[in-house]
Amino acid sequence: MLDEQTIRIVQATAPVLKEHSTTIGKRFYELLFAKAPQLNNLFNQTNQKRGLQQEALGYAVYAAGEHITNLEAIQPVIERISQKHRAIGITADQYPVVGETLLDAVKDVLKEQATEEIIGAWGRAYGAIADAFIELENKLYEETKRQPGGWEGFREFTIDRKTKESEEVTSFYLKPRDGQAIATYKAGQYLTVKLTIPGEQYTHLRHYSLSDAPGHDYYRISVKREDAHGETPEGLVSNYLHERIQQGDTVMVSAPAGDFVLAEDQSPVVLISGGIGITPLLSMLNTLAAEQPGREVAFVHATMNGGTHVFKEHVEQLAAAHPSIRSYVCYNAPTEEDKRQKSYDKEGVVDLPFLQAAAPGGEARYYLCGSLSFMEAVNRMLREGGVPADHIYYEAFSPVAILGEG
């Protein structure tokens, strides 16, 4: 239990940390990797280069400080981070060095503003926040290990099949090398793949959404090859998977994780995806078709054109077989062939009238996945259209993102 003075100092200084959050995040990782270089094995180095991890850390620190007396207010952040920590294998004994380094980063950035009183208060606050994470993560580790087919840490899986879905997207069907049972999962969750890439000093971890319904003897992930553009480097892991990993090869995988799952009710569902964001929503669609065939579903997908539209035929077949499923397609830049075949419903970008026309009646629940800018835009439209915030769910492929928080 934190004392009142600690709470007062933390809440008063949280806006200052927010103002300098990106700089603090950058300095933190510089110091952390200097102190404990082995932790490079746990972090996405591409996100480091793009600055996403640094921004995520700064936001999380500010949010935790602002809500230090009511961490329930940021429960979605805590749950999302804890799920990822469990998936990559963060342990309780790693928290002290993180806390020590965070305080060092704050002192380096804020200089004389970071008085002993302020650093002491944030140190105590970090201890309370770390305890909350550790408690939840220990629970997740136990649940994951004890479930039928579950396991702890990483397990060896064989690429049973590799299927090219488009020029950019390839599906990988994974089966356990030991031939034993695998844990089930909830539609919308993801796998974490660990790869050792020749020439790379550290191992690489990536989260990939499961793109099929549970209940099979395999896991399926569908990976987009991320090419370099502008100052953004190519996706090291996605390119390695596309070009080097073949049928029969093995990869290390941790058990399914994630908090982006279908609500347990019978309300109508609107699944809205942009680009490769289709993957977790396709898992949801397949699950709904198999387990709740009468539940109303609107499947809205936005992409550039028919050349980038993955799983198009599959979704069309489901919609044809289930009257309760309706599909809506938006192409940003349709080709002449797309126009000739009339293979989409809207040209341009997703807008509120398009979403309102797609939405089934009643108190629908909305599930979003795509780029952060896409989801920010869709979330804003839905809120303007009167959809309650607690009826909107989303999966962010970036380290941490809270829609509406900028």
Side-chain angles (χ1 to χ4, degrees):
M1 188 75 176
L2 295 173
D3 60 88
E4 290 186 10
Q5 184 179 9
T6 294
I7 292 169
R8 178 181 58 78
I9 293 172
V10 167
Q11 290 182 327
T13 55
V16 180
L17 267 66
K18 180 182 182 181
E19 181 183 351
H20 298 278
S21 59
T22 300
T23 308
I24 291 171
K26 182 179 179 181
R27 183 57 179 154
F28 166 80
Y29 284 109
E30 291 172 351
L31 294 172
L32 182 66
F33 295 143
K35 288 181 181 179
Q38 71 276 11
L39 293 180
N40 278 285
N41 291 302
L42 298 178
F43 289 92
N44 184 325
Q45 296 304 309
T46 300
N47 282 343
Q48 287 288 327
K49 292 175 183 177
R50 295 171 65 189
L52 297 178
Q53 198 80 49
Q54 295 89 328
E55 291 179 4
L57 173 81
Y59 174 82
V61 171
Y62 153 71
E66 184 182 43
H67 299 286
I68 192 64
T69 59
N70 179 25
L71 291 179
E72 289 292 322
I74 56 168
Q75 190 61 32
V77 178
I78 293 175
E79 176 71 21
R80 190 163 301 140
I81 295 174
S82 294
Q83 288 279 351
K84 292 191 175 184
H85 281 182
R86 198 283 298 161
I88 67 176
I90 295 292
T91 55
D93 61 356
Q94 292 168 328
Y95 274 87
V97 69
V98 169
E100 173 190 306
T101 307
L102 178 60
L103 296 179
D104 287 343
V106 171
K107 286 188 283 189
D108 283 359
V109 172
L110 298 186
K111 301 188 185 308
E112 64 275 1
Q113 287 182 273
T115 65
E116 288 186 14
E117 185 180 43
I118 290 173
I119 293 300
W122 275 95
R124 292 187 292 277
Y126 174 83
I129 295 164
D131 287 345
F133 276 101
I134 291 168
E135 181 180 358
L136 178 54
E137 287 158 22
N138 285 340
K139 180 181 177 183
L140 292 174
Y141 279 117
E142 281 300 312
E143 290 176 350
T144 302
K145 183 171 60 175
R146 291 182 177 180
Q147 67 179 314
W151 68 95
E152 187 173 10
F154 285 83
R155 183 176 172 186
E156 200 167 17
F157 277 70
T158 301
I159 306 298
D160 184 66
R161 191 169 13 132
K162 182 178 177 181
T163 303
K164 191 171 183 178
E165 307 290 359
S166 72
E167 288 302 313
E168 297 180 321
V169 178
T170 294
S171 289
F172 298 83
Y173 293 76
L174 311 176
K175 288 188 175 182
R177 189 174 183 183
D178 60 17
Q180 300 301 307
I182 58 175
T184 190
Y185 57 92
K186 295 180 179 180
Q189 291 190 306
Y190 54 81
L191 285 185
T192 302
V193 177
K194 179 166 70 173
L195 292 174
T196 300
I197 299 177
E200 289 292 313
Q201 183 177 2
Y202 302 105
T203 57
H204 290 267
L205 300 174
R206 293 294 186 275
H207 307 300
Y208 291 114
S209 295
L210 289 146
S211 60
D212 203 354
H216 302 288
D217 64 347
Y218 62 81
Y219 294 133
R220 185 180 77 178
I221 57 174
S222 301
V223 181
K224 179 186 176 185
R225 185 188 67 248
E226 296 292 347
D227 297 324
H229 55 88
E231 297 182 358
T232 303
E234 70 175 22
L236 177 66
V237 174
S238 67
N239 277 270
Y240 184 79
L241 286 170
H242 274 251
E243 297 168 10
R244 301 289 295 277
I245 294 293
Q246 302 300 329
Q247 183 175 341
D249 289 344
T250 59
V251 294
M252 302 301 293
V253 176
S254 68
D259 64 329
F260 181 60
V261 297
L262 288 166
E264 296 180 356
D265 59 24
Q266 296 295 317
S267 59
V269 173
V270 184
L271 307 174
I272 307 172
S273 59
I276 195 59
I278 194 173
T279 51
L281 301 188
L282 185 66
S283 177
M284 291 182 177
L285 181 67
N286 288 351
T287 301
L288 289 166
E291 299 179 4
Q292 296 178 296
R295 191 170 174 181
E296 282 192 273
V297 182
F299 193 85
V300 180
H301 183 59
T303 186
M304 184 173 291
N305 52 50
T308 61
H309 191 170
V310 292
F311 302 111
K312 180 176 185 292
E313 293 76 14
H314 176 75
V315 173
E316 289 175 345
Q317 290 169 5
L318 284 180
H322 298 83
S324 58
I325 296 175
R326 292 172 294 134
S327 173
Y328 301 87
V329 176
C330 179
Y331 285 170
N332 182 48
T335 64
E336 290 303 317
E337 181 65 13
D338 293 331
K339 294 177 181 178
R340 188 183 67 78
Q341 293 187 357
K342 298 180 180 178
S343 56
Y344 56 96
D345 301 292
K346 184 182 186 304
E347 180 175 351
V349 298
V350 171
D351 57 22
L352 183 57
F354 184 63
L355 293 176
Q356 289 175 326
E363 290 292 311
R365 295 186 182 271
Y366 295 76
Y367 297 82
L368 324 179
C369 191
S371 69
L372 189 54
S373 59
F374 173 81
M375 293 194 298
E376 284 281 11
V378 171
N379 179 65
R380 184 171 59 252
M381 291 175 209
L382 294 176
R383 299 291 289 117
E384 290 172 354
V387 178
D390 61 358
H391 280 202
I392 302 173
Y393 310 82
Y394 57 91
E395 176 67 290
F397 292 153
S398 55
V400 175
I402 303 298
L403 298 189
E405 290 288 342

